[in-house]
Amino acid sequence: MPTVYLETFGCQMNELDSQLVSSRLRTLGYTFTPQADSADVVLYNTCSVREHAEQKVWSRLGELALRKARQPGLVVGVLGCMAEREGEGLIRRMPVVDVMAGPAELDRLPELLDNALKTRRALLAESATQHLLMTPEGIRPDLTLLRSAGQVALHGDTGRRSSTLAAAADQLELLDLSRSTSPDEHSGSAYVRITRGCNKFCTYCVVPFTRGAEVHRPPEHIIDECKRLADAGVIEITLLGQTVNHYRFEHDAATIVDGVVQPQKGRAYVHRRGVHEDPYKREKGERVTTFADLLYRIHEEVPSVRRLRFVTSYPRSFGDDVLQVIRDCPRICRYLHVPAQSGSDRMLRAMNRGYSVGEYLEFIDRARQHLHQPEIGRPLTIAGDIIVGFPGETEEDFLATADLLRRVRYKNCFIFKYSPRPGTVAHERLTDDVPDPVKRRRNYELLTLQAQISDEVSREYIGSELDVFVQSLSKRQSRRQRQTGALAATEHRSLIRLTVSAAGTHARPGDQSPHDDQGCCATHEKIEHTGPSEPEDHTLPVQMSARSDGDLIVFIDAPPGTPPDALIGSIVRVRVESASGLALHARPV
Ligand code: SF4
């Protein structure tokens, strides 16, 4: 069977999509390689939210065009939001691409790949026997036929689904239901999707167009998936949704196809401005699973999951019921990623965010009242997103955003410089009128301010004890081992994951972005936290990278005699000894 190289750009949602796709392909006999050069099939799972990610893919495709001239049997695929947004234009610009599948069509990828591979093999055989060229070196097959034929372009479904039945026909659910729980794919931590798509239409964002309308998965499917992952050794689960707290499944409206309960389209709610209300709560007599219900059920029904977290929260419509469940369930992490995007009401209106700065701060204060309990070792940490240089942003708007950062004191914040994304309302209707040098200056000033705040927040932990989930060798440790040629089995295991999941963009909530373009909910690219650089000393203990309950990055040294592999995927009690920037340095107790 062909070998596949799969590289993912962008976000946790894309990373999960890549895991599901690779699971499916493995069960069909495909094998995966971390080396693009030796693969028969090269797939890029892409993100359109930020221009930076798309540019990387264009560059990779340019390189593949040269390679395909030498290796005409190579099959190249572009998956995800970029395939959806660019459509046929992508193939016209890059004829090297054989297969495209948007986020809503990934269930069809095996069929498309099979078709593309067979087509290319047939054309190759035909060229070898029937299309021969005389060259100075002798007779050889004419492969030009292969360079322009055999493409299987599946245009993304850009039409938003308009009915519950259309959502019910969503075959993507099968992809989630059939996921593999192999330890090679999770290392003790896994993502579980609870909703797809988004109904918000923020003016800068492509997600509602590329991923479609908000669709909620049946709670039984989600809980069953969590149980299967837990049985396979997963102890940390992150629930994913673009607006994760909007989750709501109405059992009386559920549809069943071939005996399987189908995902359900999200409902549009009217919001009364200035009044806190929870439109997502259960009304009397309704058979509904709300987000609070879902969190509680997973916590109670899957007790071997020791950490349950979720991203990304939408600041409006976040009910007290969710906060109460988090407070009462000790294994739900006290961490909220709640993008504000701006500290100016004028900008929030232009972005169509649907809340004011006052409403955002009301939510932050309410969350802290419910959840901040440092006296029992459980402080609440909050991460955010900010866009600078949105059309029309004045110096006054910018200063209001800086005030918001000071007021909220995020443990970290993704700060992005606005760039218009084709297909969005802002691109079509608003003039990108903030000069680039001004955007850069504002971006830099906010990053500097947030770095100070992050440093202060991190230092508050010095001397405290935390439970941390050990994820991997630290980047510094990996670099040391690569330099000495001692690539441990530990890292080999990580490499397998990277190949099928992120290839260096292993996005996590809580990473502070140095990049330029704006983000959207649940889409962030990883920062490499390497710790302070120092001369290599191979007598140093093995340094591991871990995360606290509040998603703080914690570096610890493996105790002497403990193989690093034995620590990965476990939760360890540590005492924080020092802090710098976004990272804590701790020692196991
Ligand atoms: S920024 Fe988030 S809430 Fe707004 S449209 Fe994009 S995904 Fe939806």
Side-chain angles (χ1 to χ4, degrees):
M1 282 297 278
T3 52
V4 180
Y5 172 82
L6 170 58
E7 186 169 352
T8 305
F9 297 85
C11 62
Q12 298 106 312
M13 205 65 89
N14 269 14
E15 190 178 340
L16 176 58
D17 281 343
S18 287
Q19 285 175 13
L20 299 179
V21 159
S22 66
S23 275
R24 182 78 163 270
L25 293 176
R26 279 176 205 276
T27 60
L28 295 170
Y30 289 86
T31 53
F32 282 77
T33 170
Q35 306 296 338
D37 290 351
S38 59
D40 305 304
V41 177
V42 175
L43 300 175
Y44 296 123
N45 190 11
T46 60
C47 177
S48 272
V49 171
R50 297 193 301 101
E51 198 177 2
H52 180 75
E54 281 196 359
Q55 281 167 353
K56 275 193 202 166
V57 176
W58 286 121
S59 152
R60 300 271 206 287
L61 291 174
E63 290 161 15
L64 284 179
L66 297 173
R67 176 173 155 197
K68 202 161 183 172
R70 303 188 308 272
Q71 187 189 340
L74 179 71
V75 166
V76 177
V78 177
L79 319 177
C81 290
M82 185 174 162
E84 179 77 31
R85 198 182 63 73
E86 291 280 338
E88 288 164 10
L90 192 149
I91 285 208
R92 268 198 297 276
R93 181 168 160 190
M94 281 290 173
V96 68
V97 176
D98 301 285
V99 173
M100 290 199 311
E105 297 159 322
L106 294 175
D107 56 306
R108 295 192 57 197
L109 183 65
E111 183 191 328
L112 291 165
L113 270 188
D114 189 50
N115 195 358
L117 283 159
K118 282 182 180 149
T119 305
R120 294 206 76 78
R121 271 189 221 118
L123 288 167
L124 196 57
E126 188 185 336
S127 296
T129 55
Q130 295 176 24
H131 302 275
L132 301 178
L133 280 181
M134 286 292 290
T135 70
E137 294 80 37
I139 296 174
R140 65 169 176 78
D142 178 4
L143 299 177
T144 50
L145 180 67
L146 273 162
R147 286 179 204 141
S148 58
Q151 285 168 343
V152 186
L154 183 68
H155 193 293
D157 173 14
T158 48
R160 285 175 57 82
R161 303 178 182 98
S162 58
S163 73
T164 301
L165 275 181
D170 191 341
Q171 294 298 304
L172 276 180
E173 185 63 11
L174 297 177
L175 205 57
D176 290 78
L177 287 175
S178 62
R179 79 181 287 176
S180 157
T181 55
S182 160
D184 279 347
E185 295 186 30
H186 59 66
S187 292
S189 177
Y191 295 124
V192 171
R193 186 185 344 253
I194 67 168
T195 72
R196 301 189 187 93
C198 182
N199 287 348
K200 287 297 172 199
F201 290 99
C202 301
T203 52
Y204 53 84
C205 182
V206 294
V207 166
F209 305 101
T210 56
R211 289 194 178 264
E214 194 177 271
V215 173
H216 304 171
R217 298 184 63 207
E220 300 305 335
H221 292 187
I222 297 167
I223 293 164
D224 183 59
E225 194 172 323
C226 292
K227 285 180 179 168
R228 287 192 299 115
L229 287 163
D231 289 346
V234 168
I235 59 170
E236 180 186 72
I237 284 181
T238 303
L239 305 177
L240 294 186
Q242 243 86 22
T243 49
V244 71
N245 50 311
H246 285 182
Y247 179 84
R248 178 185 173 93
F249 194 87
E250 299 180 9
H251 296 267
D252 292 330
T255 50
I256 300 176
V257 176
D258 295 334
V260 179
V261 180
Q262 298 296 303
Q264 195 169 77
K265 191 167 180 280
R267 194 202 272 179
Y269 289 90
V270 178
H271 178 68
R272 280 196 296 142
R273 186 168 284 283
V275 179
H276 166 61
E277 54 185 21
D278 175 14
Y280 296 90
K281 68 177 184 278
R282 187 194 304 101
E283 300 296 339
K284 205 171 174 195
E286 270 186 318
R287 289 203 315 129
V288 168
T289 299
T290 62
F291 183 53
D293 297 331
L294 183 70
L295 280 178
Y296 184 74
R297 282 194 61 188
I298 297 172
H299 185 269
E300 295 301 300
E301 295 178 35
V302 200
S304 56
V305 168
R306 294 177 61 193
R307 276 196 179 171
L308 184 59
R309 61 172 85 240
F310 53 87
V311 285
T312 295
S313 299
Y314 192 71
R316 205 182 73 193
S317 350
F318 199 113
D320 286 351
D321 55 346
V322 181
L323 297 174
Q324 280 156 13
V325 167
I326 300 171
R327 186 192 59 202
D328 296 342
C329 294
R331 287 177 285 104
I332 300 180
C333 296
R334 303 223 170 173
Y335 165 72
L336 296 173
H337 177 208
V338 209
Q341 307 299 12
S342 175
S344 152
D345 282 340
R346 218 171 60 80
M347 287 297 98
L348 290 175
R349 278 195 297 278
M351 293 174 180
N352 193 33
R353 288 292 287 177
Y355 53 82
S356 64
V357 177
E359 287 168 312
Y360 182 85
L361 290 173
E362 183 274 335
F363 168 66
I364 297 293
D365 290 345
R366 197 157 41 88
R368 286 206 162 114
Q369 270 168 23
H370 278 83
L371 301 177
H372 194 61
Q373 293 176 289
E375 67 283 2
I376 58 165
R378 301 209 70 199
L380 169 69
T381 57
I382 298 176
D385 293 9
I386 294 290
I387 297 172
V388 289
F390 192 74
E393 186 187 71
T394 62
E395 202 61 17
E396 196 182 337
D397 297 318
F398 165 69
L399 291 174
T401 301
D403 281 346
L404 183 83
L405 258 56
R406 289 188 198 96
R407 166 83 158 75
V408 177
R409 296 190 81 240
Y410 297 107
K411 71 116 177 146
N412 75 301
C413 193
F414 298 89
I415 297 164
F416 301 95
K417 186 166 72 77
Y418 173 75
S419 68
R421 306 304 298 128
T424 60
V425 173
H427 180 263
E428 306 303 326
R429 299 194 196 155
L430 303 177
T431 306
D432 182 16
D433 56 0
V434 180
D436 200 52
V438 175
K439 285 183 189 169
R440 286 185 182 279
R441 194 246 313 151
R442 290 178 185 170
N443 194 36
Y444 175 77
E445 286 182 17
L446 285 192
L447 282 169
T448 306
L449 172 61
Q450 181 55 44
Q452 281 169 11
I453 295 168
S454 295
D455 197 56
E456 287 165 17
V457 171
S458 295
R459 286 177 191 283
E460 287 166 9
Y461 286 83
I462 295 175
S464 60
E465 289 191 6
L466 300 172
D467 289 325
V468 298
F469 177 83
V470 184
Q471 293 179 299
S472 61
L473 298 177
S474 71
K475 290 286 171 195
R476 190 176 70 185
Q477 185 65 38
S478 298
R479 198 176 54 230
R480 275 185 204 151
Q481 294 199 355
R482 266 195 296 274
Q483 281 171 349
T484 59
L487 187 67
T490 309
E491 192 180 31
H492 179 64
R493 201 165 94 187
S494 304
L495 261 180
I496 293 170
R497 266 194 91 206
L498 287 174
T499 307
V500 298
S501 62
T505 59
H506 194 145
R508 291 281 321 200
D511 296 331
Q512 197 150 302
S513 175
H515 294 302
D516 286 345
D517 321 315
Q518 76 276 6
C520 90
C521 302
T523 53
H524 299 293
E525 199 165 337
K526 187 183 183 186
I527 313 296
E528 305 295 344
H529 295 285
T530 56
S533 60
E534 57 184 52
E536 295 304 326
D537 177 349
H538 305 302
T539 62
L540 289 172
V542 176
Q543 190 187 60
M544 313 292 296
S545 174
R547 293 264 172 176
S548 72
D549 169 286
D551 205 50
L552 291 144
I553 303 144
V554 185
F555 292 113
I556 59 170
D557 292 338
T562 305
D565 220 18
L567 285 177
I568 291 177
S570 66
I571 292 179
V572 176
R573 187 91 177 151
V574 299
R575 178 172 292 111
V576 180
E577 298 193 321
S578 63
S580 54
L582 285 171
L584 309 180
H585 300 264
R587 188 177 293 280
V589 292

